Amino acid sequence: MNRKKTGKGQLIVLSGPSGVGKSTVIAELMSQRELFFSVSFTTREPRSGEVDGKNYYFITREEFEGMIARGELLEYTQYQQNYYGTSEKLLQEKLDAGIDVLLDIEVEGGENVRKKRPDAISIFMIPPSFEELSRRLHARNTDKEEVIQGRLARAREEYKEIPKYDYLVINDRVSNAVTEIEAILAAAECRVAKRIHIIEGDNAL
Ligand code: ADP
Ligand code: 5GP
């Protein structure tokens, strides 16, 4: 039986302060299971090592505002003077094909996705401490000090949104965070609502 052929993919929202390790954990997760990472559109400058079409689609403000006007975005936000947004079409194609889709988005986007897609699973990732978050932002060595301070201040605001999320994962070690997310996804896959097609219809067990 191929469950993926009949079931829809699971939409997963992952939020957490910049520098907590979301990209690192996502990369590890993707090496272990089939998962489509929803590549966002952004107007921010690429960091060194970032690849257009892999980390983000890097576009101009005019192009981004065109996508807003045409209603192409499931959600979008302005973060530190830049636009970030999720294409609805790309994501829906994968979900319809039975593939799980993961969004790495901040809390306002998380809220908007929860409203539009109540079946999405939302996970918030935190570091073991704010000192460690600051250390990771500095260690990444990609942002100026004032940008880092802005991201740390924003992190404290974002923490207020944690109660709205379904799950809280602590990224102390990457392997622990990956194990916790794997457990969340495994449980979600066993929900009756996700498996009802197995016992109903012509191909019922
Ligand atoms: P985000 O995507 O949340 O902004 P990154 O994945 O870019 O964060 O990680 C920020 C920095 O922290 C990177 O230098 C990364 O190697 C490091 N990092 C990520 N997870 C951990 C961890 N569990 N322990 C120590 N350092 C980590
Ligand atoms: P960064 O500049 O560090 O890559 O991302 C900054 C913040 O923007 C992160 O919290 C990240 O999760 C969020 N982000 C990335 N893509 C999107 C998106 O498409 N929509 C929203 N709402 N947030 C996003």
Side-chain angles (χ1 to χ4, degrees):
M1 178 189 57
N2 185 346
R3 272 184 251 130
K4 292 280 175 197
K5 281 212 168 122
T6 41
K8 293 251 184 200
Q10 175 69 54
L11 184 58
I12 306 143
V13 170
L14 178 65
S15 301
S18 180
V20 66
K22 298 183 295 299
S23 308
T24 308
V25 169
I26 291 168
E28 186 58 29
L29 204 56
M30 287 175 71
S31 73
Q32 295 186 16
R33 61 154 41 229
E34 189 186 11
L35 192 63
F36 177 76
F37 173 66
S38 165
V39 179
S40 294
F41 289 78
T42 186
T43 58
R44 98 154 151 68
E45 291 293 312
R47 296 188 183 121
S48 93
E50 282 186 330
V51 178
D52 187 41
K54 179 170 180 273
N55 305 92
Y56 284 102
Y57 295 107
F58 295 99
I59 61 174
T60 64
R61 282 190 89 80
E62 292 68 37
E63 287 169 326
F64 200 102
E65 283 165 359
M67 292 184 80
I68 298 173
R70 292 189 298 274
E72 291 172 10
L73 298 171
L74 173 67
E75 63 75 35
Y76 71 94
T77 193
Q78 290 223 43
Y79 178 98
Q80 314 273 312
Q81 279 90 53
N82 287 304
Y83 279 123
Y84 293 80
T86 306
S87 158
E88 182 144 35
K89 182 165 171 276
L90 293 179
L91 162 155
Q92 196 57 49
E93 280 168 5
K94 296 294 173 187
L95 292 176
D96 289 346
I99 299 168
D100 296 341
V101 175
L102 187 142
L103 308 182
D104 170 352
I105 58 177
E106 51 66 67
V107 293
E108 193 188 326
E111 174 89 7
N112 289 331
V113 172
R114 268 194 300 272
K115 278 189 195 140
K116 285 191 173 171
R117 307 283 180 124
D119 56 339
I121 291 177
S122 61
I123 304 173
F124 197 97
M125 184 185 287
I126 56 169
S129 66
F130 268 91
E131 290 70 31
E132 174 62 11
L133 180 63
S134 173
R135 200 191 64 72
R136 287 183 194 172
L137 280 168
H138 284 96
R140 189 166 65 183
N141 206 16
T142 51
D143 299 302
K144 293 192 196 116
E145 186 59 30
E146 64 186 57
V147 174
I148 290 181
Q149 291 310 322
R151 285 172 187 260
L152 285 170
R154 168 103 183 197
R156 293 191 185 276
E157 287 300 308
E158 288 176 335
Y159 269 40
K160 295 179 188 158
E161 302 297 310
I162 292 176
K164 296 180 184 167
Y165 280 73
D166 298 319
Y167 297 98
L168 183 62
V169 164
I170 303 165
N171 181 19
D172 48 1
R173 291 168 60 111
V174 173
S175 57
N176 289 345
V178 169
T179 303
E180 289 193 350
I181 295 175
E182 285 280 11
I184 292 166
L185 300 186
E189 219 158 273
C190 300
R191 280 184 186 161
V192 170
K194 288 278 292 176
R195 288 193 157 170
I196 199 75
H197 63 273
I198 297 174
I199 53 151
E200 286 178 348
D202 294 343
N203 299 321
L205 285 180

mmCIF file of all heavy atoms in Angstrom, residues 11 20 28 35 39 41 79 95 108 130 145 176 184 187 196:
data_model
loop_
_atom_site.group_PDB
_atom_site.id
_atom_site.type_symbol
_atom_site.label_atom_id
_atom_site.label_comp_id
_atom_site.label_asym_id
_atom_site.label_seq_id
_atom_site.Cartn_x
_atom_site.Cartn_y
_atom_site.Cartn_z
ATOM 1 N N LEU A 11 1.275 19.945 6.084
ATOM 2 C CA LEU A 11 1.897 21.270 6.092
ATOM 3 C C LEU A 11 2.480 21.525 7.487
ATOM 4 O O LEU A 11 1.785 21.357 8.494
ATOM 5 C CB LEU A 11 0.844 22.326 5.740
ATOM 6 C CG LEU A 11 1.331 23.759 5.597
ATOM 7 C CD1 LEU A 11 2.409 23.880 4.525
ATOM 8 C CD2 LEU A 11 0.151 24.677 5.241
ATOM 9 N N VAL A 20 18.569 30.544 15.751
ATOM 10 C CA VAL A 20 18.355 29.420 16.678
ATOM 11 C C VAL A 20 18.846 28.098 16.074
ATOM 12 O O VAL A 20 19.179 27.156 16.794
ATOM 13 C CB VAL A 20 16.865 29.303 17.102
ATOM 14 C CG1 VAL A 20 15.974 28.944 15.938
ATOM 15 C CG2 VAL A 20 16.688 28.291 18.217
ATOM 16 N N GLU A 28 19.281 18.741 8.178
ATOM 17 C CA GLU A 28 19.476 17.400 8.743
ATOM 18 C C GLU A 28 18.202 16.562 8.588
ATOM 19 O O GLU A 28 18.252 15.399 8.197
ATOM 20 C CB GLU A 28 19.863 17.554 10.224
ATOM 21 C CG GLU A 28 20.237 16.281 10.934
ATOM 22 C CD GLU A 28 21.399 15.538 10.298
ATOM 23 O OE1 GLU A 28 22.266 16.199 9.681
ATOM 24 O OE2 GLU A 28 21.416 14.286 10.410
ATOM 25 N N LEU A 35 10.769 15.405 2.390
ATOM 26 C CA LEU A 35 10.186 16.640 2.895
ATOM 27 C C LEU A 35 10.506 17.720 1.879
ATOM 28 O O LEU A 35 11.634 17.811 1.405
ATOM 29 C CB LEU A 35 10.872 16.966 4.224
ATOM 30 C CG LEU A 35 10.290 18.045 5.110
ATOM 31 C CD1 LEU A 35 8.893 17.661 5.576
ATOM 32 C CD2 LEU A 35 11.200 18.231 6.333
ATOM 33 N N VAL A 39 10.646 27.107 -0.468
ATOM 34 C CA VAL A 39 11.628 28.182 -0.651
ATOM 35 C C VAL A 39 10.855 29.500 -0.742
ATOM 36 O O VAL A 39 10.008 29.674 -1.605
ATOM 37 C CB VAL A 39 12.465 27.940 -1.925
ATOM 38 C CG1 VAL A 39 13.468 29.077 -2.135
ATOM 39 C CG2 VAL A 39 13.187 26.593 -1.842
ATOM 40 N N PHE A 41 10.173 33.667 -0.999
ATOM 41 C CA PHE A 41 10.621 34.814 -1.791
ATOM 42 C C PHE A 41 11.032 35.909 -0.814
ATOM 43 O O PHE A 41 10.349 36.128 0.198
ATOM 44 C CB PHE A 41 9.490 35.305 -2.694
ATOM 45 C CG PHE A 41 9.195 34.348 -3.814
ATOM 46 C CD1 PHE A 41 8.449 33.192 -3.572
ATOM 47 C CD2 PHE A 41 9.676 34.575 -5.096
ATOM 48 C CE1 PHE A 41 8.188 32.287 -4.601
ATOM 49 C CE2 PHE A 41 9.419 33.684 -6.129
ATOM 50 C CZ PHE A 41 8.674 32.539 -5.874
ATOM 51 N N TYR A 79 10.093 42.025 7.566
ATOM 52 C CA TYR A 79 10.949 41.700 8.695
ATOM 53 C C TYR A 79 12.255 42.430 8.478
ATOM 54 O O TYR A 79 12.892 42.226 7.442
ATOM 55 C CB TYR A 79 11.132 40.175 8.742
ATOM 56 C CG TYR A 79 12.034 39.643 9.823
ATOM 57 C CD1 TYR A 79 11.520 39.139 11.019
ATOM 58 C CD2 TYR A 79 13.425 39.622 9.649
ATOM 59 C CE1 TYR A 79 12.349 38.634 11.995
ATOM 60 C CE2 TYR A 79 14.259 39.119 10.631
ATOM 61 C CZ TYR A 79 13.715 38.631 11.807
ATOM 62 O OH TYR A 79 14.556 38.131 12.770
ATOM 63 N N LEU A 95 1.719 19.450 -1.680
ATOM 64 C CA LEU A 95 0.748 18.853 -0.745
ATOM 65 C C LEU A 95 -0.196 17.921 -1.498
ATOM 66 O O LEU A 95 -0.499 16.817 -1.039
ATOM 67 C CB LEU A 95 -0.049 19.947 -0.024
ATOM 68 C CG LEU A 95 0.729 20.816 0.964
ATOM 69 C CD1 LEU A 95 -0.174 21.913 1.514
ATOM 70 C CD2 LEU A 95 1.301 19.980 2.105
ATOM 71 N N GLU A 108 4.445 36.118 12.604
ATOM 72 C CA GLU A 108 3.274 36.728 11.949
ATOM 73 C C GLU A 108 2.804 35.822 10.802
ATOM 74 O O GLU A 108 1.609 35.572 10.635
ATOM 75 C CB GLU A 108 3.655 38.114 11.419
ATOM 76 C CG GLU A 108 2.481 38.950 11.020
ATOM 77 C CD GLU A 108 2.935 40.228 10.321
ATOM 78 O OE1 GLU A 108 4.000 40.774 10.673
ATOM 79 O OE2 GLU A 108 2.226 40.651 9.399
ATOM 80 N N PHE A 130 19.232 32.766 25.864
ATOM 81 C CA PHE A 130 19.461 33.925 24.998
ATOM 82 C C PHE A 130 20.959 34.152 24.762
ATOM 83 O O PHE A 130 21.363 34.619 23.701
ATOM 84 C CB PHE A 130 18.808 35.182 25.587
ATOM 85 C CG PHE A 130 17.419 35.389 25.079
ATOM 86 C CD1 PHE A 130 16.334 34.869 25.753
ATOM 87 C CD2 PHE A 130 17.191 36.067 23.892
ATOM 88 C CE1 PHE A 130 15.049 35.021 25.262
ATOM 89 C CE2 PHE A 130 15.908 36.222 23.391
ATOM 90 C CZ PHE A 130 14.833 35.705 24.094
ATOM 91 N N GLU A 145 26.659 43.952 13.503
ATOM 92 C CA GLU A 145 26.263 43.968 14.925
ATOM 93 C C GLU A 145 24.864 44.565 15.112
ATOM 94 O O GLU A 145 24.054 44.045 15.877
ATOM 95 C CB GLU A 145 27.311 44.746 15.744
ATOM 96 C CG GLU A 145 27.087 44.703 17.253
ATOM 97 C CD GLU A 145 27.075 43.293 17.858
ATOM 98 O OE1 GLU A 145 27.761 42.391 17.324
ATOM 99 O OE2 GLU A 145 26.350 43.082 18.869
ATOM 100 N N ASN A 176 19.154 16.223 18.791
ATOM 101 C CA ASN A 176 17.981 16.159 19.682
ATOM 102 C C ASN A 176 16.785 16.860 19.047
ATOM 103 O O ASN A 176 15.651 16.371 19.098
ATOM 104 C CB ASN A 176 18.272 16.840 21.030
ATOM 105 C CG ASN A 176 19.241 16.040 21.873
ATOM 106 O OD1 ASN A 176 19.480 14.867 21.593
ATOM 107 N ND2 ASN A 176 19.804 16.663 22.892
ATOM 108 N N ILE A 184 7.222 14.330 16.330
ATOM 109 C CA ILE A 184 6.005 15.126 16.090
ATOM 110 C C ILE A 184 5.381 14.714 14.751
ATOM 111 O O ILE A 184 4.171 14.497 14.646
ATOM 112 C CB ILE A 184 6.353 16.637 16.078
ATOM 113 C CG1 ILE A 184 6.779 17.098 17.472
ATOM 114 C CG2 ILE A 184 5.177 17.470 15.550
ATOM 115 C CD1 ILE A 184 7.464 18.469 17.485
ATOM 116 N N ALA A 187 3.785 11.201 14.852
ATOM 117 C CA ALA A 187 2.480 11.203 15.528
ATOM 118 C C ALA A 187 1.411 11.823 14.625
ATOM 119 O O ALA A 187 0.290 11.302 14.534
ATOM 120 C CB ALA A 187 2.570 11.972 16.846
ATOM 121 N N ILE A 196 -7.872 8.298 7.322
ATOM 122 C CA ILE A 196 -9.237 7.807 7.108
ATOM 123 C C ILE A 196 -9.395 7.186 5.716
ATOM 124 O O ILE A 196 -10.144 6.231 5.537
ATOM 125 C CB ILE A 196 -10.272 8.943 7.367
ATOM 126 C CG1 ILE A 196 -11.657 8.381 7.616
ATOM 127 C CG2 ILE A 196 -10.266 9.998 6.289
ATOM 128 C CD1 ILE A 196 -11.827 7.756 8.969
#
